[in-house]
Amino acid sequence: MVPAPSSLRNIFGNLDIYLFDQLLKGRIKEYTQLLDAGCGNGRNIQYLLQAGLPVFGIDQDAEAIRQVQERAALLAPHLPPTNFIVADLNNMPFTDNQFGVVLCSAVLHFARSEAHFRKMVQELWRVLQPGGMLFCRLSTTIGLENKLPHLHDYFYQMSHGKNWFLADASLLLNLEITLGAQRLEPLKTLLVEEQRAMTTWVLQKSA
Ligand SMILES: C[S@@+](CC[C@H](N)C(=O)[O-])C[C@H]1O[C@@H](n2cnc3c(N)ncnc32)[C@H](O)[C@@H]1O
């Protein structure tokens, strides 16, 4: 039976629409060991937990991890709570090549410097298996070049008052070359009315 529109939120939660697109493209399989890096309260893994995937999550915020452990205990009681831990993206307690899919949604623009940004992306890449997919959504300058108040280096003042690290297209390309990554699709950037640009960056590690 097809689920009613009113029940979709129970199934998918607030799943990012661009991640939903990856699901529809068949790039996340049932058996895939998946890491949500910077998972927050787990909005992007609600469906994946219910679908029975071996999901892991890290976040630097202990309260977010407490909430995601609660969510996982309800939706996927077979998973150990230790799959969800407090950790920093720049030093993750996982072995190399551990995950078939690594998600990193709305986290990388909190980088503290270019070196920190690069280190976080390298860590995401390190724990990804050959053939695996790295899916990132991050705020960038793409489409808003010269329109945002520039502070210094890659830092910009956002309309909500915070200073964010905004990668540009060259930095992303440079990292891809350094990592030897293949783009699974072109960069896709959503512009929020001259406030911010949210880019979807989807990479594959060579098998
Ligand atoms: C805007 S929330 C996004 C949460 C979730 N990924 C989502 O899409 O709803 C950003 C999250 O990244 C976490 N975060 C930021 N920098 C981090 C870092 N260096 N290591 C681990 N978590 C980090 C924050 O604690 C926060 O939970």
Side-chain angles (χ1 to χ4, degrees):
M1 201 170 80
V2 175
S6 57
S7 67
L8 288 180
R9 190 171 290 267
N10 293 336
I11 301 170
F12 294 107
N14 288 321
L15 180 71
D16 178 271
I17 196 77
Y18 295 90
L19 183 55
F20 189 64
D21 181 43
Q22 299 302 317
L23 279 168
L24 294 181
K25 286 174 174 153
R27 291 186 178 146
I28 303 177
K29 311 272 187 242
E30 293 81 90
Y31 48 81
T32 304
Q33 187 142 294
L34 177 143
L35 171 66
D36 189 358
C39 57
N41 68 8
R43 74 171 174 121
N44 280 324
I45 53 175
Q46 169 160 330
Y47 165 75
L48 300 166
L49 288 167
Q50 293 185 94
L53 274 80
V55 175
F56 291 69
I58 67 143
D59 200 286
Q60 66 186 7
D61 179 346
E63 175 54 21
I65 289 298
R66 193 195 59 73
Q67 286 178 24
V68 89
Q69 281 176 336
E70 250 179 45
R71 195 189 285 252
L74 279 173
L75 302 176
H78 58 284
L79 291 181
T82 48
N83 275 21
F84 305 96
I85 50 175
V86 178
D88 198 297
L89 252 79
N90 69 8
N91 184 19
M92 295 196 284
F94 300 116
T95 55
D96 296 358
N97 308 329
Q98 188 170 334
F99 299 100
V101 171
V102 176
L103 311 177
C104 187
S105 167
V107 183
L108 292 171
H109 47 253
F110 297 114
R112 297 187 289 274
S113 64
E114 180 183 346
H116 186 223
F117 182 84
R118 286 178 178 275
K119 177 68 179 140
M120 288 194 288
V121 175
Q122 274 158 1
E123 269 294 275
L124 296 168
W125 198 249
R126 180 184 68 76
V127 301
L128 185 66
Q129 282 166 10
M133 175 179 77
L134 171 61
F135 170 93
C136 300
R137 289 209 76 212
L138 68 161
S139 197
T140 65
T141 58
I142 299 169
L144 288 179
E145 291 86 355
N146 305 318
K147 289 194 174 153
L148 295 167
H150 183 221
L151 298 169
H152 60 91
D153 303 304
Y154 286 95
F155 287 91
Y156 292 79
Q157 172 138 43
M158 308 306 290
S159 58
H160 53 52
K162 303 258 169 66
N163 301 340
W164 278 5
F165 180 100
L166 301 185
D168 58 23
S170 314
L171 178 57
L172 299 184
L173 185 59
N174 178 279
L175 267 158
E176 287 168 28
I177 293 166
T178 307
L179 299 170
Q182 300 300 316
R183 263 188 206 169
L184 268 176
E185 46 194 62
L187 297 178
K188 292 179 184 162
T189 300
L190 175 91
L191 295 182
V192 183
E193 268 203 318
E194 307 215 348
Q195 289 178 28
R196 65 183 186 280
M198 287 302 294
T199 296
T200 306
W201 190 32
V202 193
L203 302 177
Q204 186 170 42
K205 200 173 194 176
S206 305

